[in-house]
Amino acid sequence: MNDNAWIRTVALKPPSLQDNTADADRLVEALKPELETSRIDIELSLLRQLPRLLRRWNYHVRCVSVRDAGRWRLLDVIGLSESRPIAGLAVDLGTSRVALRLIDLVDGKTLGEGAFDNPQLSVGADILARIHHCEGKGGLERLNRLIIDGINRHLAGLCRSVNLDPRDVFLIAAAGNTAMTHLLLGLNPRWIIREPYIPVVNRPGLLAAGDLGLEAHERARILVFPNIGSYFGGDLIAGILYAGMHAARETAILVDVGTNAEVVLGNANWLIACAGAAGPALEGGVTRMGMMAGPGVIDRVQIVSGDGRLRIHTIADQAPIGICGSGLIDLAAQLFLGGMVDIRGKLVPDACGHRLKQIDGIDNFVVVPASESAGGTDLAISQADLDSLIRSKAAMYTILETITSTVGVSLNGLDPFYVAGTFGSFIDPASAITIGMLPDLPLDRYRSIGNSSLGGAAMALTQADGLDRIDAIRQRITYLELNVNQDFMNRFSAAKFLPHTDLNRFASVKLAAG
Amino acid sequence: MNDNAWIRTVALKPPSLQDNTADADRLVEALKPELETSRIDIELSLLRQLPRLLRRWNYHVRCVSVRDAGRWRLLDVIGLSESRPIAGLAVDLGTSRVALRLIDLVDGKTLGEGAFDNPQLSVGADILARIHHCEGKGGLERLNRLIIDGINRHLAGLCRSVNLDPRDVFLIAAAGNTAMTHLLLGLNPRWIIREPYIPVVNRPGLLAAGDLGLEAHERARILVFPNIGSYFGGDLIAGILYAGMHAARETAILVDVGTNAEVVLGNANWLIACAGAAGPALEGGVTRMGMMAGPGVIDRVQIVSGDGRLRIHTIADQAPIGICGSGLIDLAAQLFLGGMVDIRGKLVPDACGHRLKQIDGIDNFVVVPASESAGGTDLAISQADLDSLIRSKAAMYTILETITSTVGVSLNGLDPFYVAGTFGSFIDPASAITIGMLPDLPLDRYRSIGNSSLGGAAMALTQADGLDRIDAIRQRITYLELNVNQDFMNRFSAAKFLPHTDLNRFASVKLAAG
């Protein structure tokens, strides 16, 4: 029966004629020194239950409270004999996938985890389509209901699976990009995408979960991660918290790659961030065979040296149906190392041999012949797909080069180099280096940290000063607007080669064709 | 377009690419220096409207906020061209009558006033009966609904009469005794009347009016006056605030007389309070002809010197139907001065003459003969009624003597002497002195301050630091438990004479019978 950030056990002196302080005030006075605060609020709904609860448990109770800018809010009092967990819920509000993690607020342990496709996909695949949908009558309300209902449904299911009740969830922490955060809160995202790109709120803070329609404990609070602007959201701030960059002496870098490449560079003294369009090639959906990771999707590609045959790996080892970002990077790296793609990213007919096919007048490289694919048709990537990948990787590298040079840090000096996101966790850094997407660092400096947004949200659940830390991180970040000027274009042009025009930067990349 | 405690006009710098702070954060940053605070909260329901409101009024708005323990809460933003008043509502939650006063929060002026019988009277005339009613199933909810619905209904009517909408009411301040406050908040009063007499809460603070079911502005807050214990409620604290005793150099006294006599003594340095049963005689309802003030009720009685005839005055000059507390005190004083009642409070048959009648073996004094009364029957007070009045006046005087002697202040040194309450405003101090209910002070020291509970509540509406002041008053008060010991009983016995056994204390009272 340990106490932690939010939980305190107090034994009150029962009322007497000598001390006839009211129930609520008696409890508050006993809690104040425990929570080291001068102010504790109790909501009316709890006040109404308090006399019964205190007497039922003989004035000896566990108090669940949350901290909000210096003052505390008492959420509930619970008998010592009650055995139900006091739970928290971390939410990563992805545009495509939403991830949930239930944790025990006492010991921070994970009680259960789950993820589901963002139900807003039914309205629009990308965030822009959803924002436009909000212009229509009832559009915002519809998108808001979809995400709230989705979380409620999956939270209920997750709770059931671990023998909990959603009412055991006292605190929720949610991190998402700025637009997703708006849709969660029912805030109009209209102005996010229009110059000068203004969110409704940067720091939503701690809200009543019930006000959002979330079904948890009746007085549950939700900590909504702040954003820095329309293009740098709470998911990134959660990532920084999770990676611990804001508290580290070394200068580290955190890269979250999706449709946007979001990059944070810094240490305990400073943090600089930028975001730029990295192109859609990395997320799947653009190459004809590209797709999100899932069963049957090719995520690893290797050329067996000697005969030039491809060894592919699919998720869940099922018959191949397409390729995801990490597979595409592997493939491009292998083709380049095997001489089947040249330094400009073009397919080399002689080297590709029978794997080269012309479709609609465009060169295609057959990754999986029709006979071996799940759908019975060739799985191929076209020269256009490769061009798109190369633009994406060039954008990524250029962003990294720009942000580091802006603060005078050498790309090669970065340690550690955090790669975040589901996608990041599948990338093979060696392949990414081979095509010049990531800098040529010793591989052990790359740390794949998975869903850092979810990780940061979970972390905030167990820290009494979580919101303060998060606000402090937010305050510390300098946001670098990426000006697409001549410098940027020059860097981008150089980065459009494999791995780069300046081969000295990629000494580890050994070309087969020399 | 003046600003005041709660209202600030701000002209924001509109968003630009150079300053793309979110709408909410832009507004908060502009308001912080205005309100001299580091923390302003905005509720989700307002966040949802904010982008539209700010753009509609071109970032130039009036902000209505309330202060709650150092932090502020923004309730609404309003265009400068909007002409509706920004209103507040003061509520005196009387056990019998509820009084409402609408005020303009900008200039503090009264917009309208009203009062209504407490709808809980249908359940129980006194607070004890209501508390017992709460033991039954649904009893608390019923009493809570009665008072909430009553306020909503009368607020709506009051608003209509002054061309307002309840949604124009942003702040409510309510003061009542501890039990009434509990019933307003839906808190179980069960433990208030059971040893050791524990309220649910001493300091309810600032709550969302909507959480109570009050129909005002959707984000209106209600400031609920704190209590000191089960027998010293927020109405008294409001009275102290209204009288200004907590800020005055002179030692003043405040007396609120009802079924309970509630007394506060003190100055800017200290405050001491006590409450005791003064007996029901003073409030009407106990003497057979006694009643609450109302049309036809005798409120003034005078004996025309010489012929001993009574000159009576009734409220609204209607035919007499009964007598209220102030009339009874006048009557007793006149009978005593005319020799028709002796020093022990007994009717003197020889002096009363034909006005004396025996009813059920008890002496009765006919105030209005059947021929002149509204009901066609004699209006008489019995010896038992007089005895009851004398016990009440003796209790009152004893309480005054006890509290002053406890702190070593002379009864005769009190200045000013505030008499509060509807009842207080009708008492003729000269009559009250004559019967020895109030001390023999120069009459100009008596200040009838009317409904000081309502006055204090109205005052709190226009002071940004109202809740802090109120809490400071509460902190400062020492509550004196009235021990009914030998000292008290000796004082009480001496005070049961007219005006007192010690005539030196009442030098101004000139007896006709010498």
Side-chain angles (χ1 to χ4, degrees), chain B residues 64-141:
Chain B
V64 185
S65 321
V66 291
R67 180 158 174 271
D68 182 12
R71 75 166 59 179
W72 286 76
R73 183 180 294 274
L74 179 64
L75 299 183
D76 214 348
V77 296
I78 298 175
L80 301 189
S81 57
E82 296 284 301
S83 59
R84 307 190 65 78
I86 296 167
L89 176 73
V91 183
D92 167 43
L93 280 175
T95 306
S96 309
R97 290 282 282 178
V98 178
L100 304 180
R101 183 181 295 162
L102 265 179
I103 72 159
D104 187 318
L105 289 181
V106 175
D107 57 17
K109 286 199 182 120
T110 297
L111 297 170
E113 224 174 289
F116 58 97
D117 283 345
N118 188 328
Q120 297 173 334
L121 287 167
S122 64
V123 169
D126 59 60
I127 211 69
L128 211 62
R130 295 181 206 169
I131 294 178
H132 285 306
H133 185 78
C134 291
E135 310 281 318
K137 192 169 160 57
L140 171 59
E141 292 69 24

Side-chain angles (χ1 to χ4, degrees), chain B residues 247-387:
Chain B
R249 263 187 7 165
E250 329 75 81
T251 299
I253 193 162
L254 171 70
V255 176
D256 196 336
V257 193
T259 308
N260 278 322
E262 284 146 343
V263 179
V264 185
L265 177 70
N267 53 39
N269 296 315
W270 54 268
L271 290 165
I272 183 163
C274 69
L282 299 177
E283 258 203 335
V286 164
T287 65
R288 265 169 308 119
M289 64 174 287
M291 49 180 60
M292 310 286 294
V297 171
I298 300 168
D299 64 344
R300 286 278 169 266
V301 179
Q302 212 184 340
I303 294 186
V304 182
S305 45
D307 63 356
R309 280 204 304 136
L310 293 178
R311 182 180 297 162
I312 65 164
H313 176 262
T314 63
I315 296 174
D317 288 320
Q318 299 197 2
I321 57 168
I323 192 163
C324 67
S326 62
L328 193 61
I329 291 169
D330 266 12
L331 178 65
Q334 293 291 311
L335 293 179
F336 176 56
L337 290 177
M340 286 174 272
V341 154
D342 68 15
I343 190 171
R344 298 167 307 140
K346 300 300 176 192
L347 290 163
V348 179
D350 287 353
C352 293
H354 69 281
R355 286 189 176 266
L356 197 74
K357 280 198 178 173
Q358 288 259 328
I359 301 174
D360 298 335
I362 294 175
D363 283 347
N364 273 257
F365 182 87
V366 177
V367 184
V368 180
S371 59
E372 296 170 23
S373 81
T377 55
D378 287 344
L379 293 181
I381 61 155
S382 70
Q383 183 60 56
D385 295 335
L386 278 172
D387 293 348

